[in-house]
Amino acid sequence: MIRIGIGRDIHRLVEGRRFLLAGIELPAEKGELGHSDGDVLAHAVTDALLGAAALGDIGEFFPPGDPRFKDADSMDLLRRAAESVKRAGWELINIDCVVICEKPAILPHRDRIREALAGALGLDPEAVFVKGKTAEGLGPAGEGLAVEAETVCLLGKKEDPY
Ligand code: MG
């Protein structure tokens, strides 16, 4: 049996914060505002995994007002969500991601980001892809006010042929 999942997130960009994608800090003038560390890509991947397994969503697992998650390492939250998915009997097959922002450019950092996600999820980096897009000046991402991430993932149950 296979299941697909989708995750989407957006974070406001402000001065004085780090710009993190899957725990990798990119050189940038602004970074993601958030109760946690604001890692938009880690959040989108977490939601894709939890949704594919029908376990819940990131806000249920790690409530944003909860002081335990203030400045939380979002890659740690992703690892915990992935553990829950594995405990439910699912194997992660692949993930594909899009990050949308005007700056910074994602491509020079893409393979490090892929390796960070692969390491956290126990996947071969070949099973993880990340694409950077600009928004052509349109909307909050295009105006440089926000960064967005979209992710899909595929899960399989080992005991069933797929
Ligand atoms: Mg978020």
Side-chain angles (χ1 to χ4, degrees):
M1 178 166 47
I2 56 171
R3 291 273 174 84
I4 193 168
I6 184 169
R8 180 179 173 84
D9 199 20
I10 181 168
H11 278 255
R12 193 179 290 274
L13 291 174
V14 296
E15 288 178 5
R17 295 275 298 187
R18 296 182 296 160
F19 191 106
L20 292 171
L21 294 176
I24 304 293
E25 184 172 351
L26 274 61
E29 288 168 17
K30 296 181 187 175
E32 297 132 318
L33 187 62
H35 179 69
S36 66
D37 62 12
D39 190 328
V40 71
L41 182 56
H43 294 177
V45 175
T46 300
D47 250 351
L49 292 179
L50 293 174
L55 288 176
D57 65 45
I58 189 170
E60 284 179 277
F61 267 63
F62 311 111
D66 189 324
R68 284 178 300 162
F69 306 121
K70 175 99 176 81
D71 300 322
D73 176 347
S74 297
M75 289 299 281
D76 186 45
L77 305 184
L78 172 58
R79 279 187 283 269
R80 288 162 62 179
E83 270 308 307
S84 297
V85 169
K86 279 183 197 150
R87 272 200 303 275
W90 294 101
E91 178 193 10
L92 181 55
I93 298 171
N94 80 302
I95 63 173
D96 190 21
C97 310
V98 185
V99 176
I100 304 128
C101 61
E102 290 303 294
K103 289 189 293 188
I106 306 303
L107 186 57
H109 312 282
R110 182 190 66 196
D111 289 343
R112 273 204 306 153
I113 295 167
R114 292 173 63 201
E115 282 163 19
L117 285 171
L121 298 170
L123 281 174
D124 188 304
E126 290 297 307
V128 177
F129 209 75
V130 177
K131 299 174 292 295
K133 301 280 290 180
T134 69
E136 301 282 340
L138 298 168
E143 291 170 16
L145 301 174
V147 54
E148 301 176 45
E150 295 177 343
T151 301
V152 290
C153 73
L154 199 64
L155 303 182
K157 281 258 192 204
K158 270 184 173 167
E159 57 266 37
D160 298 322
Y162 58 81

